[in-house]
Amino acid sequence: MLPSAGLERLNAFSDGVFAVLITVLVLELRPPEIPTFVALLALWPTWLSYGVSYLFIAIVWANHHHLLRHATEMTARLMWHNFAHLFSVSLLPLATAWMAVSELSPQPVAFYAGVFFLVNLTYIFLIRELIEPMPVEVIPLNVRKAMRIRSIATLCLFGLAALVALKYPIIGLAICCCCLAVYLRPEAPGARN
C-alpha cells in the first residue's frame, strides 16, 4: 500500500523539525576564548551535553521514524499526537544549553530529564495511535506488550531521573542515558524487522 500524501507530508515535516533541532543544538557550541586544548577541555560540560543530546535526538528520530512506518492514513489525532511529540523534542536544545552553561547543576539536569519524560509520554500516545489498532498478524501481542513495558518503564525512570537530579545531577543524567540505551534498537524486543 502506498502512503497517502498526508503521511508523506507528516514524515517530511517531522524530518525537517528534527534537522532544525540538530542545527539549533550545534549553534549553541562556542569555541573557547583562549586558543588552547586546556581551554577546550574546560568546556567539557558543554561538549558532554551536546554529545548526549545529539545522540538522544538521533535515537528519538530513529524510533519516531520506525513508529510512523506503521501509519496507514493521516488522521487529525495522529497529526496532533505527532505535533505534541515534536514539541516535547523541541525543548531539548533549551534544556541542553541550560544544562551546559550551568555545568550540570541540579535544576537544569532535572529539567533535562523532565523534557525526556515529556518526549517519552508523547511517544506513548503515538504508540497508542499507531500500534494498538493494527491487526495482531502485523504486530503480535508479545511485541505490543514489550513496547508497553519498555515505554512505561522508561517513563517512570525519566521521572525518577528528574527527582534524583535535584540532589545528584550526574546520577540523574546517567539514568537518562540508561533509559535511552533501551531505544537504540527501535524495534521492540521480539519484533521482526
Side-chain angles (χ1 to χ4, degrees), residues 116-189:
F116 272 101
F117 180 89
L118 285 175
V119 169
N120 206 69
L121 181 63
T122 57
Y123 186 72
I124 290 171
F125 291 140
L126 281 174
I127 288 172
R128 282 192 174 158
E129 183 66 24
L130 293 170
I131 301 302
E132 295 303 323
M134 299 294 285
V136 176
E137 302 81 48
V138 177
I139 309 282
L141 292 176
N142 66 320
V143 173
R144 294 170 197 242
K145 183 178 179 183
M147 290 178 83
R148 274 193 298 275
I149 290 170
R150 178 174 72 170
S151 59
I152 291 170
T154 53
L155 182 70
C156 292
L157 286 170
F158 282 128
L160 176 66
L163 293 174
V164 168
L166 291 171
K167 182 97 171 142
Y168 306 102
I170 299 298
I171 295 173
L173 184 58
I175 293 170
C176 288
C177 292
C178 291
C179 285
L180 286 167
V182 303
Y183 285 102
L184 284 171
R185 181 175 177 250
E187 300 85 15

Side-chain angles (χ1 to χ4, degrees), residues 65-84:
H65 179 71
H66 176 76
L67 196 56
L68 284 182
R69 291 182 329 156
H70 298 290
T72 56
E73 67 176 325
M74 175 64 157
T75 65
R77 283 174 53 117
L78 173 58
M79 180 186 67
W80 288 111
H81 287 315
N82 191 60
F83 272 126

Side-chain angles (χ1 to χ4, degrees), residues 41-55:
L41 244 75
L43 296 176
W44 71 268
T46 300
W47 292 104
L48 175 66
S49 300
Y50 170 77
V52 167
S53 293
Y54 187 92
L55 176 62

Side-chain angles (χ1 to χ4, degrees), residues 50-116:
Y50 170 77
V52 167
S53 293
Y54 187 92
L55 176 62
F56 286 1
I57 289 175
I59 291 169
V60 172
W61 176 84
N63 282 270
H64 180 268
H65 179 71
H66 176 76
L67 196 56
L68 284 182
R69 291 182 329 156
H70 298 290
T72 56
E73 67 176 325
M74 175 64 157
T75 65
R77 283 174 53 117
L78 173 58
M79 180 186 67
W80 288 111
H81 287 315
N82 191 60
F83 272 126
H85 188 60
L86 294 175
F87 170 77
S88 63
V89 178
S90 76
L91 297 173
L92 194 55
L94 168 66
T96 301
W98 190 26
M99 191 170 63
V101 298
S102 75
E103 297 183 354
L104 307 178
S105 293
Q107 291 176 0
V109 176
F111 178 71
Y112 190 79
V115 167
F116 272 101

Side-chain angles (χ1 to χ4, degrees), residues 6-17:
L7 285 175
E8 288 177 7
R9 291 185 65 174
L10 180 78
N11 274 310
F13 177 80
S14 299
D15 286 348
V17 169

